[in-house]
Amino acid sequence: MPSPDAIAQLSSVLRGRIVQPGESDYDTARKVYNAMIDRHPRLIVYCRDVADVMHCVNFAREQSMLLAVRGGGHNGGGLGTCDEGLVIDLSLLRGIRVDAAARTVRVEGGCTWGDVDHATHAFGMATPSGIIGTTGVGGLTLGGGLGHLTRKCGLSVDNLLEADVVLADGSLVRASAETNPDLLWALRGGGGNFGVVTSFLFKLHPVDTVVAGPTFWPLESAGEVMRWYRDFIVSAPEDLNGFFAFLTVPPVEPFPQALHGQAVCGVVWCYTGAPEDADAAFKPVREFGSPLMHGVQPMPFPALQGAFDALYPPGHQWYWRADFVNELSDAAIAEHQRFGAKMPTPQSTMHLYPIDGAAHRVKSSDTPFSYRDATWAEVIVGVSPDPQDAATISSWTKGYWDALHPYSAGGAYVNMMMDEGDERIRASYRDNYPRLAKVKRQYDPNNLFRVNQNIRPE
């Protein structure tokens, strides 16, 4: 552990602030989004600029400290913090610059997707991200980036043009198609294994007002709905994205009071085509089955992106399991029905995110995100605000995953994994793992950046 003199020396060269155990705000500073994660870092540094990040990386290396990097703090497995180590907190690095003419946005590493959506929407544009506005840009992007725009615009990594990265030796480099292209390749899905990304440059798309919202069906119709959905979504226009979900209707507006607290199955839609064509696009949806609610309407894209923020605030207990899925067989649907009917809390859910369309037009070897041949990314998550529910939500999630995993494609979306071990990481990167290990050896040969879904240097 570093001496008090060494810590004082680090503090003297920083513009940001160090928080240590015993200080009044230490317990607040060490919290992450998932309250199931309870880590006690030795130092938490709120970096104010890139120089602060460089100093912290050098300090951790020289002091042989475990190093974690925290952007939005949303990582399910708590991989933005650590015990007895140094946490680089990027939350003060929130600068954003939109270049409307070039259709790009440069985003600092501490931004959330809500920050980005706010900035780009003023120009009538957006870049692919997730489904919750409080998610950090860095974590979601480095793992792939699935969300409402996947079928139309691809993954977040498919739209990542450049990144500024502080490497394990403390130097700052740019990763782009012209400079350090191997590093840029690795960042497009290889997680936080290669350095601290202090800024990202994304391609923007003309996405302004979307026609979006949920369609709910009775829970007992889940089998019928899933069989319809598996055929419909893969043949739907790419302007139409929709992820299937088991969920409990929140007891708030705009949901009808008669549905408050009711467990349902549904699809959350996002249509990015011409508004005048939306009715035709949604006609098969309106006509299928007997929906309890078809809540689709025009809205600004940031409104859709932030729709779940209040439902999932920081501080809940979370337990995740995930898989990629090639097809939804009738046998798999039967298991979904069984576990979907037993959601242990109102916030617990299962989502199937489509990853076809534009995401399929990228080769599996073009980015570390190798499951370009999959049709869905499945995530099962138990969530509760009550710590006493931790065992219950974990047990439901594990049981659900155990039942469905035999029907999966093998690996999982790394952003939705807990700490599941090396074999699971290799299965998720498949044939891209050896190349990632080579890039890791070049840029981080001693594995300083290992608090992540870790790729070991070759």
Side-chain angles (χ1 to χ4, degrees):
M1 285 292 102
S3 67
D5 287 346
I7 296 172
Q9 174 60 29
L10 173 63
S11 181
S12 71
V13 298
L14 296 176
R15 297 188 69 189
R17 187 169 78 89
I18 299 176
V19 179
Q20 303 185 58
E23 296 186 17
S24 60
D25 58 344
Y26 174 74
D27 282 336
T28 299
R30 70 184 183 86
K31 287 180 181 178
V32 290
Y33 185 77
N34 182 0
M36 196 176 286
I37 306 302
D38 187 25
R39 304 277 191 265
H40 292 77
R42 178 63 184 85
L43 302 172
I44 302 167
V45 182
Y46 289 92
C47 295
R48 286 199 171 274
D49 54 22
V50 174
D52 279 1
V53 175
M54 296 167 72
H55 286 306
C56 288
V57 169
N58 286 330
F59 185 85
R61 185 188 67 251
E62 292 163 0
Q63 297 288 330
S64 299
M65 293 188 75
L66 189 63
L67 178 63
V69 182
R70 185 170 70 192
H74 267 237
N75 183 273
L79 300 178
T81 186
C82 60
D83 283 321
E84 297 300 323
L86 187 157
V87 173
I88 292 176
D89 186 290
L90 300 176
S91 60
L92 300 180
L93 276 66
R94 302 289 278 267
I96 297 175
R97 184 180 184 278
V98 175
D99 186 332
R103 288 191 175 181
T104 62
V105 59
R106 189 171 295 279
V107 180
E108 289 192 334
C111 291
T112 66
W113 283 110
D115 298 331
V116 178
D117 293 331
H118 172 78
T120 61
H121 185 68
F123 297 87
M125 292 186 283
T127 195
S129 55
I131 65 164
I132 294 182
T134 57
T135 305
V137 170
L140 183 128
T141 298
L142 295 175
L146 290 166
H148 294 299
L149 300 180
T150 298
R151 299 188 76 234
K152 176 68 173 179
C153 305
L155 309 178
S156 298
V157 291
D158 300 335
N159 293 272
L160 177 62
L161 304 175
E162 292 181 2
D164 291 331
V165 191
V166 177
L167 301 177
D169 64 4
S171 63
L172 177 70
V173 301
R174 176 154 295 180
S176 69
E178 294 77 29
T179 306
N180 301 306
D182 54 343
L183 179 58
L184 179 64
W185 177 86
L187 295 174
R188 286 173 159 166
N193 276 281
F194 307 97
V196 184
V197 180
T198 57
S199 77
F200 301 82
L201 182 68
F202 294 102
K203 178 169 59 177
L204 291 173
H205 300 265
V207 175
D208 190 351
T209 297
V210 296
V211 181
T215 304
F216 295 149
W217 290 271
L219 191 61
E220 56 268 23
S221 301
E224 182 185 1
V225 174
M226 293 188 85
R227 285 187 286 273
W228 167 79
Y229 170 77
R230 72 184 176 188
D231 296 329
F232 172 75
I233 193 63
V234 296
S235 59
E238 291 179 9
D239 284 326
L240 183 61
N241 197 90
F243 67 85
F244 178 90
F246 288 113
L247 72 155
T248 301
V249 180
V252 295
E253 293 183 351
F255 303 108
Q257 190 169 2
L259 295 182
H260 287 184
Q262 183 173 330
V264 299
C265 65
V267 180
V268 180
W269 306 103
C270 176
Y271 178 73
T272 56
E276 59 269 22
D277 297 332
D279 280 347
F282 282 107
K283 185 173 185 291
V285 180
R286 293 192 303 270
E287 294 178 347
F288 171 74
S290 301
L292 297 170
M293 171 185 172
H294 183 62
V296 170
Q297 58 188 304
M299 64 181 70
F301 182 67
L304 174 64
Q305 285 284 86
F308 295 100
D309 292 6
L311 183 61
Y312 293 111
H316 285 182
Q317 306 280 312
W318 288 72
Y319 195 85
W320 301 73
R321 279 289 188 266
D323 266 321
F324 287 115
V325 177
N326 290 334
E327 60 179 296
L328 280 174
S329 67
D330 288 348
I333 288 173
E335 296 294 346
H336 278 294
Q337 287 179 273
R338 183 161 70 97
F339 283 90
K342 300 176 182 178
M343 290 182 289
T345 64
Q347 293 89 0
S348 297
T349 188
M350 188 285 299
H351 292 175
L352 285 167
Y353 298 102
I355 49 175
D356 61 331
H360 271 191
R361 291 193 287 276
V362 179
K363 295 179 181 177
S364 293
S365 60
D366 285 351
T367 70
F369 189 101
S370 70
Y371 278 85
R372 299 289 180 165
D373 51 345
T375 312
W376 293 279
E378 170 194 286
V379 59
I380 304 161
V381 57
V383 188
S384 175
D386 189 348
Q388 293 187 7
D389 288 337
T392 300
I393 62 177
S394 299
S395 176
W396 174 79
T397 302
K398 291 175 183 177
Y400 197 161
W401 185 87
D402 287 343
L404 266 296
H405 184 62
Y407 304 99
S408 75
Y413 179 36
V414 294
N415 284 345
M416 294 175 175
M417 288 168 51
M418 301 296 281
D419 187 0
E420 300 174 32
D422 184 66
E423 182 177 345
R424 188 76 168 131
I425 296 169
R426 290 173 181 268
S428 298
Y429 287 116
R430 297 195 293 187
D431 293 344
N432 289 328
Y433 190 92
R435 183 177 174 186
L436 284 166
K438 289 182 180 179
V439 179
K440 177 74 170 181
R441 180 184 64 185
Q442 179 180 353
Y443 291 98
D444 184 16
N446 296 314
N447 206 10
L448 178 67
F449 299 107
R450 60 185 181 275
V451 181
N452 44 47
Q453 300 295 353
N454 193 233
I455 296 160
R456 299 174 185 175
E458 184 191 54

